[in-house]
């Protein structure tokens, strides 16, 4: 259906692909993986024809329709979200546009002499519109938007008034409604809450076309794909299985490659030792010569390349008191919307609370109240004795001074620290060499998130308050963060839509629902087992 045949591609001085082969077949659901900058987006752009390979070819079967979702949604304004989604529905949207033009023409008195032709054409177009399911289109568009957590009010709102994250969902909904023969989805799980993510998962499982997608959400990927294409050192390697199988297989391949390399190195060392020992003896000249020739002909094995990964390490934090945070009779509203009406909640030392609830339930508000960046309208929020808090929010990423370099930002926050300790801190979070001289405005979302974490953790807190800490992190960095937090000895309160993060790190669940606030003594896995749902209001 879509084939990459012997493709090579260079991006400025960097070789992305070198004589690479891969294929996306009908009905296949494929995960595209590779480190940041490996060329995943370039691969998508070559399929759509926005870019061309330097050599080789990308061939798409004739007549195959392709829907491409990426993070660059462009300008959207002037019509409702539902109209914007319907406009991207492939051939039917063009027919709908002609139908609207003909309806306007039939009402135009100045075109009365053309009316017979207009009415005849209207009949033809209307029949085609019906044949393409046009009259069900609005209902389907609303269904998709509802799945992505839009309220009816938001669906009819001018799309220009929506935030960037919600516009991203509109762009995604356009592709889903289109149901093309092949979908290319570049990070569709970004900016989605857990409920939307679970809905999208079910939608994609039921989609019958071919799917090629990237995602930083391991659980999401595992549940949808049955094949992985990995970009590795200019090549495209295919694995028949989900992401977990790919990880196991890759680790096994690396182990075998390492063993092969070590065996050959041992053999080469033995041969070289013989040559060195006997090269000066005439009696062994022919043996030495034949061994030299043999070594020249041997194809050398390479050791497996180790992917650079960030190694987070939390230094031991000072012990806090037993009561870390106490909320008593807390009331909070925004305008007419009541968020909390008499909330009582206590966090004790070593507890790891994950906060769950649909959009607008008050998850981030709770974290802001505890972090003292928002005040309750009534009631009290008390942080306990000897508590040193680290608060991570998306707002903190937006507050970085774009003109300051990464290293200058660290110096601004810790003027007493010496350069060596700040460079060591930057290194722990994956910033080495010239990386520390980058200005904050050129940092990617993931790099900004890592910098904010570095700022938060220089003086280790004993209470972490984290609002979607994994939003911009790639799979490898996210995995390292989970491992580090698993060993963290403090208390945690966090919001996340990443089910692996939730399951690995929580030992308490606070569920916010319209019916009230519920507390669960076990972690996320126990919550799923006891409620039969992966998120509030969704039944599996």
């Amino acid at each position: 259906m879509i084939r990459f045949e012997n493709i090579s591609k260079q991006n400025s001085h960097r070789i992305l692909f070198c004589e690479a082969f891969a294929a996306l077949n009908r009905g296949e659901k494929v995960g595209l993986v590779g480190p940041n900058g490996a060329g995943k987006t370039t691969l998508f752009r070559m399929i759509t024809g926005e870019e061309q390979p330097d050599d080789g070819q990308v061939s798409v079967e004739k007549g195959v329709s392709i829907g491409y979702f990426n993070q660059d949604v462009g300008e959207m304004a002037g019509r409702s979200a539902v109209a914007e989604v319907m406009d991207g529905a492939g051939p039917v949207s063009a027919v709908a546009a002609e139908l609207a033009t003909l309806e306007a023409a039939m009402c135009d008195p100045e075109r009365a002499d053309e009316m017979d032709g207009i009415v005849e054409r209207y009949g033809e177009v209307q029949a085609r519109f019906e044949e393409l399911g046009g009259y069900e289109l609005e209902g389907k568009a609303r269904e998709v938007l509802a799945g992505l957590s839009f309220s009816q009010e938001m669906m009819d709102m001018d799309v220009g008034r929506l935030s960037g994250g919600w516009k991203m969902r509109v762009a995604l909904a356009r592709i889903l409604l289109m149901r093309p023969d092949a979908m290319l989805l570049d990070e569709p799980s970004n900016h989605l809450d857990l409920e939307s993510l679970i809905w999208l998962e079910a939608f994609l499982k039921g989609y019958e076309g071919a799917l090629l997608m990237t995602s930083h959400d391991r659980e999401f990927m595992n549940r949808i794909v049955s094949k992985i294409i990995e970009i590795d050192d200019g090549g495209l390697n295919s694995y028949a299985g989900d992401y977990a199988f790919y990880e196991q297989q890759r680790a096994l391949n690396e182990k075998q490659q390492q063993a092969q390399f070590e065996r050959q190195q041992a053999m080469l060392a033995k041969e070289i030792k013989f040559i060195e020992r006997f090269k000066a003896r005439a009696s062994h000249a022919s043996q030495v010569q034949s061994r030299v020739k043999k070594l020249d002909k041997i194809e050398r094995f390479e050791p497996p390349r180790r992917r650079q990964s960030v190694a987070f390490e939390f230094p031991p934090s000072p012990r806090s008191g037993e009561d870390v945070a106490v909320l008593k009779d807390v009331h909070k509203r925004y305008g007419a919307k009541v968020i909390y009406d008499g909330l009582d909640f206590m966090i004790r030392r070593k507890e790891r609370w994950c906060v769950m609830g649909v959009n607008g339930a008050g998850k981030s508000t709770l974290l802001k109240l505890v972090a003292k960046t928002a005040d309750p309208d009534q009631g009290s929020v008390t942080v306990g004795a000897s508590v040193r808090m680290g608060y991570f929010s998306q707002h903190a990423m937006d507050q970085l001074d774009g003109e300051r370099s990464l290293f200058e930002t660290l110096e601004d926050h810790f003027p007493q620290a010496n350069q060596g300790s700040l460079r060591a801190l930057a290194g722990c979070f994956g910033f080495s060499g010239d990386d520390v001289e980058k200005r904050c405005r050129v940092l990617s979302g993931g790099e900004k998130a890592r910098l904010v974490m570095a700022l938060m953790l220089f003086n280790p807190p004993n209470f972490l308050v984290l609002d979607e800490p994994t939003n911009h992190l790639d799979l490898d960095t996210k995995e390292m963060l989970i491992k580090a937090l698993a060993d963290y000895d403090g208390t945690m309160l966090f919001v996340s839509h990443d089910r692996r993060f939730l399951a690995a790190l929580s030992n308490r669940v606070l569920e916010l629902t319209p019916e009230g606030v519920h507390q669960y003594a076990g972690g996320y896995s126990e919550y799923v087992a006891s409620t039969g749902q992966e998120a509030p209001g969704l039944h599996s």
Side-chain angles (χ1 to χ4, degrees):
M1 190 176 188
I2 298 172
R3 299 187 66 78
F4 304 97
E5 300 174 81
N6 206 29
I7 61 162
S8 296
K9 179 77 175 173
Q10 194 165 334
N11 189 350
S12 66
H13 298 302
R14 182 170 185 166
I15 294 170
L16 295 177
F17 302 103
C18 183
E19 298 179 355
F21 288 86
L24 177 65
N25 301 312
R26 285 191 180 278
E28 277 188 332
K29 293 186 170 68
V30 179
L32 180 63
V33 303
N36 283 341
K40 297 188 287 289
T41 300
T42 302
L43 204 68
F44 284 138
R45 291 169 66 86
M46 286 196 286
I47 295 172
T48 60
E50 292 171 62
E51 288 193 38
Q52 298 298 323
D54 299 334
D55 285 303
Q57 67 170 15
V58 179
S59 56
V60 179
E61 261 180 44
K62 203 172 179 182
V64 165
S65 58
I66 290 176
Y68 174 36
F69 167 78
N70 65 12
Q71 301 293 304
D72 181 16
V73 297
E75 281 303 307
M76 285 185 190
R79 52 185 169 186
S80 69
V82 75
E84 189 73 43
V85 171
M86 288 164 66
D87 185 54
V92 69
S93 60
V95 175
E98 189 180 350
L99 207 57
T101 304
L102 290 165
E103 282 167 0
M106 286 194 292
C107 301
D108 187 350
E110 290 183 17
R111 299 186 66 178
D113 53 340
E114 304 170 55
M115 204 52 68
D116 288 350
I118 291 171
V119 170
E120 187 182 342
R121 178 63 186 154
Y122 184 80
E124 292 167 6
V125 174
Q126 192 178 36
R128 176 71 177 137
F129 187 64
E130 204 165 322
E131 184 189 321
L132 289 169
Y135 289 109
E136 295 89 60
L137 192 64
E138 184 173 341
K140 286 177 182 171
R142 288 184 182 276
E143 199 179 307
V144 170
L145 285 168
L148 295 175
S149 299
F150 278 76
S151 63
Q152 292 297 325
E153 185 188 352
M154 287 172 74
M155 291 180 201
D156 295 314
M157 186 192 289
D158 185 329
V159 75
R161 289 173 55 200
L162 298 174
S163 70
W166 287 99
K167 283 180 180 170
M168 206 80 81
R169 296 187 197 208
V170 170
L172 177 58
R174 285 178 71 144
I175 306 298
L176 301 181
L177 183 66
M178 180 184 169
R179 281 194 175 255
D181 299 320
M183 261 192 228
L184 314 177
L185 303 181
D186 196 356
E187 295 296 343
S189 50
N190 273 7
H191 303 283
L192 294 186
D193 54 78
L194 189 49
E195 290 75 17
S196 302
L197 203 59
I198 292 165
W199 177 87
L200 178 59
E201 201 173 87
F203 183 97
L204 293 175
K205 279 182 187 170
Y207 166 64
E208 290 173 2
L211 172 68
L212 181 66
M213 73 169 193
T214 62
S215 175
H216 289 162
D217 189 314
R218 177 199 194 98
E219 191 65 35
F220 180 70
M221 183 103 82
N222 263 340
R223 295 186 189 200
I224 294 167
V225 307
S226 54
K227 176 178 167 181
I228 295 286
I229 293 177
E230 175 198 46
I231 304 174
D232 186 36
D233 197 34
L236 293 169
N237 305 324
S238 296
Y239 296 80
D242 62 11
Y243 186 80
F245 172 80
Y246 151 74
E247 273 198 315
Q248 289 166 2
Q249 199 58 44
R250 183 185 162 88
L252 186 64
N253 291 352
E254 281 188 357
K255 199 173 174 184
Q256 289 171 343
Q257 194 180 343
Q258 182 67 30
Q260 203 175 34
F261 171 73
E262 285 172 5
R263 278 197 302 273
Q264 189 180 63
Q265 289 300 302
M267 181 274 290
L268 291 173
K270 194 174 170 185
E271 293 294 318
I272 290 165
K273 192 175 176 184
F274 179 90
I275 291 164
E276 289 297 318
R277 186 175 174 191
F278 294 110
K279 66 182 177 186
R281 297 191 193 179
S283 58
H284 287 74
S286 62
Q287 282 176 284
V288 167
Q289 204 56 37
S290 75
R291 292 193 183 203
V292 168
K293 283 179 184 172
K294 180 180 153 190
L295 288 191
D296 286 342
K297 287 179 186 172
I298 284 177
E299 187 182 337
R300 305 292 167 107
F301 293 128
E302 293 290 325
R305 281 176 321 287
R306 303 283 174 221
R307 282 197 181 165
Q308 277 193 320
S309 57
V310 182
F312 293 118
E313 274 192 24
F314 288 84
S317 54
R319 184 186 167 115
S320 71
E322 287 302 313
D323 294 348
V324 174
V326 181
L327 287 79
K328 278 188 183 167
D329 192 31
V330 165
H331 293 250
K332 185 71 181 173
R333 63 166 62 214
Y334 293 112
K337 186 172 172 63
V338 175
I339 305 295
Y340 294 115
D341 187 16
L343 172 67
D344 291 317
F345 176 50
M346 177 184 277
I347 302 169
R348 297 180 67 79
R349 192 173 74 86
K350 296 255 186 185
E351 288 181 339
R352 295 159 170 248
W353 286 92
C354 71
V355 186
M356 304 196 64
V358 297
N359 269 327
K363 301 187 294 292
S364 291
T365 300
L366 177 68
L367 270 56
K368 286 175 186 171
L369 289 168
V370 171
K372 302 293 179 102
T373 62
D375 297 317
D377 300 333
Q378 193 183 319
S380 65
V381 179
T382 311
V383 173
S386 308
V387 169
R388 187 190 288 168
M389 190 188 305
Y391 175 43
F392 177 93
S393 71
Q394 305 304 309
H395 178 68
M397 291 167 60
D398 299 335
Q399 294 302 300
L400 293 171
D401 183 342
E403 292 311 309
R404 303 293 281 167
S405 74
L406 193 150
F407 195 75
E408 285 168 341
T409 304
L410 292 175
E411 286 184 315
D412 293 345
H413 281 75
F414 309 114
Q416 307 300 318
N418 63 52
Q419 288 219 350
S421 62
L422 291 183
R423 285 190 182 276
L425 175 70
C428 281
F429 285 85
F431 300 111
S432 55
D434 293 341
D435 284 346
V436 296
E437 302 308 327
K438 281 183 181 175
R439 297 211 179 282
C440 286
R441 62 180 155 76
V442 304
L443 298 179
S444 68
E447 287 171 326
K448 284 181 181 173
R450 298 204 317 261
L451 174 56
V452 169
M453 282 178 193
L455 295 172
M456 185 176 74
L457 298 169
F458 183 69
N459 291 318
N462 50 30
F463 180 34
L464 287 177
V465 179
L466 309 174
D467 195 355
E468 296 285 7
T470 64
N471 250 6
H472 299 275
L473 302 182
D474 62 36
L475 279 161
D476 290 340
T477 309
K478 196 183 285 189
E479 205 54 34
M480 291 304 296
L481 179 61
I482 289 171
K483 281 179 185 165
L485 286 172
D487 295 333
Y488 171 66
D489 59 357
T491 306
M492 287 172 63
L493 174 70
F494 62 92
V495 174
S496 176
H497 65 246
D498 188 292
R499 284 161 290 182
R500 178 165 171 76
F501 192 88
L502 290 168
L505 298 173
S506 59
N507 59 23
R508 299 282 188 282
V509 175
L510 185 73
E511 182 190 53
L512 311 176
T513 72
E515 293 73 46
V517 176
H518 308 290
Q519 299 186 17
Y520 296 84
Y524 177 71
S525 300
E526 289 83 358
Y527 164 82
V528 173
S530 65
T531 63
Q533 62 190 28
E534 291 192 296
L538 283 184
H539 294 273
S540 49

